[in-house]
Amino acid sequence: MKQIYLDHAATTAVDREVMQAMTPYFTERFGNASSLHTLGRDANQALTRAREEVADAIGANTEEIIFTSGGTESDNLALRGVLREHKGHIITSSIEHPAILKTCQYLERIGCDVTYLPVDADGLVDPGDVESAITRETRLISVMHANNEIGTIQPVNEIGAIAADHEIPFHTDAVQSFGKTELDVRKMNIDMLSLSSHKIYGPKGVGALYVREGLKINPLMYGGSHEMSIRAGTENIPGIVGFAKAASLACERFKSDTAHLMKLRDMLINGMFDSIDDVFLNGHQAKRLPNNANLRFMFVEGEAMLIHLDLKGIAASTGSACSSASLDPSHVLLALGIPPEDIHGSIRFTLGRENTEKEIKYVLEVFPTIIEKLRAISPLTRR
Ligand SMILES: *Cc1c(COP(=O)(O)O)cnc(C)c1O
């Protein structure tokens, strides 16, 4: 049975055009971009072109793009790159991806101070809280653009403006928002921004960190002078070429993609509300990613819903792929103030380019029965 894949926040399939663009760079065009011969120059040209494409996609200059191994490395590089030599204070939110939160915990262990800002019931950071948290020791502000679990989009323009006023670098993790919301690092006052290829129909294991010209950061690894001497190691040319192709396709298809995703998302959310009682939307109603529907069903367990959906050929998630192995309630849903016993009834559907109305109709057909069955055997009492 063909799977109905509704877990695009976890990862996406590589687009055919992306695959085609990458393929020659594994075989006949295999050069090392640092070599001076023809094959090396060919690889270096591909690298330059890819850098231009990714820079264009976010309104950056070419030399401001550092290719990395993905979102996790970009987040680490941004935070540790700024904080390592100047221990000090960092401001972030309590709903960041683990790539930020765990890095902050590490920075605390080596002597930095971290402020984890609260969010409101919709998952929004108050820019006023950012401003109040600033001290003389603040070296960096890092607040994600869109949340991977609930899809809430943060007021990064305002936060960026506050950071600029105080001359503090502002980093944002845009892994989930890239290709799904407008993104312009100049207009939005962003000094560093993390991207990942495999969330936008590119290959896994490649991403980028945008670093505004003039902002000095330390490398995580030492070696050759690749990537403006900030990220040593022979460049992953096929991956980078694929990532750049995926980024330019995302820009090309931005309007039609987002319209398609919003239509399916709203169809899914409204359909659930129409056919099932005691269901809530997690995250902000309007300020949310066009492809995210995170729903909370009372008196049921997320894992049980996932298994029943899987039996019907539908792939969804209870939250983040990164913590699904643990049964701890989601730190994001906890931060929204949802009681732990209700959090477990949450399920995340994240839609993609290739999903169809027919697929959503099928989900809406089978899901109410699943909920009915699970509620019938649920030990949780109805209010
Ligand atoms: C997936 C994700 C990451 C990690 O990116 P990888 O390329 O998988 O390392 C970081 N931040 C957010 C918000 C993500 O969704």
Side-chain angles (χ1 to χ4, degrees), residues 9-10 69-73 75 97 99 144 146 148 173 175-176 196-199 206 322:
S69 66
T72 301
E73 184 187 334
D75 284 347
H97 187 274
M144 73 198 312
N148 46 301
D173 177 333
V175 169
Q176 290 291 340
S196 174
S197 154
H198 75 99
K199 308 281 173 83
V206 56
C322 321

Side-chain angles (χ1 to χ4, degrees), residues 226-370:
H226 315 87
E227 298 300 304
M228 335 299 157
S229 295
I230 293 175
R231 206 280 185 172
T234 302
E235 300 87 349
N236 169 11
I237 302 295
I240 289 169
V241 166
F243 172 32
K245 183 71 188 172
S248 42
L249 281 177
C251 293
E252 235 171 76
R253 306 187 46 153
F254 178 72
K255 280 216 169 93
S256 60
D257 271 358
T258 48
H260 173 68
L261 292 171
M262 267 190 236
K263 187 170 159 204
L264 295 188
R265 176 198 67 187
D266 294 344
M267 187 178 157
L268 183 63
I269 294 174
N270 295 334
M272 292 287 190
F273 277 100
D274 287 347
S275 57
I276 302 168
D277 290 332
D278 298 310
V279 50
F280 301 91
L281 183 68
N282 291 323
H284 199 283
Q285 192 139 31
K287 294 172 187 168
R288 80 185 293 126
L289 288 174
N291 74 327
N292 177 298
N294 189 320
L295 294 157
R296 188 163 86 251
F297 299 90
M298 302 297 285
F299 324 116
V300 284
E301 282 289 335
E303 278 73 23
M305 287 189 272
L306 285 190
I307 291 163
H308 282 264
L309 280 171
D310 193 44
L311 290 172
K312 297 281 184 192
I314 301 162
S317 160
T318 47
S320 64
C322 321
S323 52
S324 55
S326 80
L327 284 174
D328 293 338
S330 146
H331 71 284
V332 175
L333 298 179
L334 276 176
L336 304 189
I338 300 169
E341 62 273 22
D342 294 352
I343 286 176
H344 288 296
S346 294
I347 187 162
R348 179 188 75 181
F349 298 96
T350 44
L351 313 176
R353 216 179 252 171
E354 75 283 8
N355 287 133
T356 61
E357 277 189 36
K358 202 172 145 217
E359 289 178 327
I360 303 304
K361 279 191 188 132
Y362 173 71
V363 175
L364 290 170
E365 223 172 82
V366 301
F367 203 62
T369 320
I370 293 175

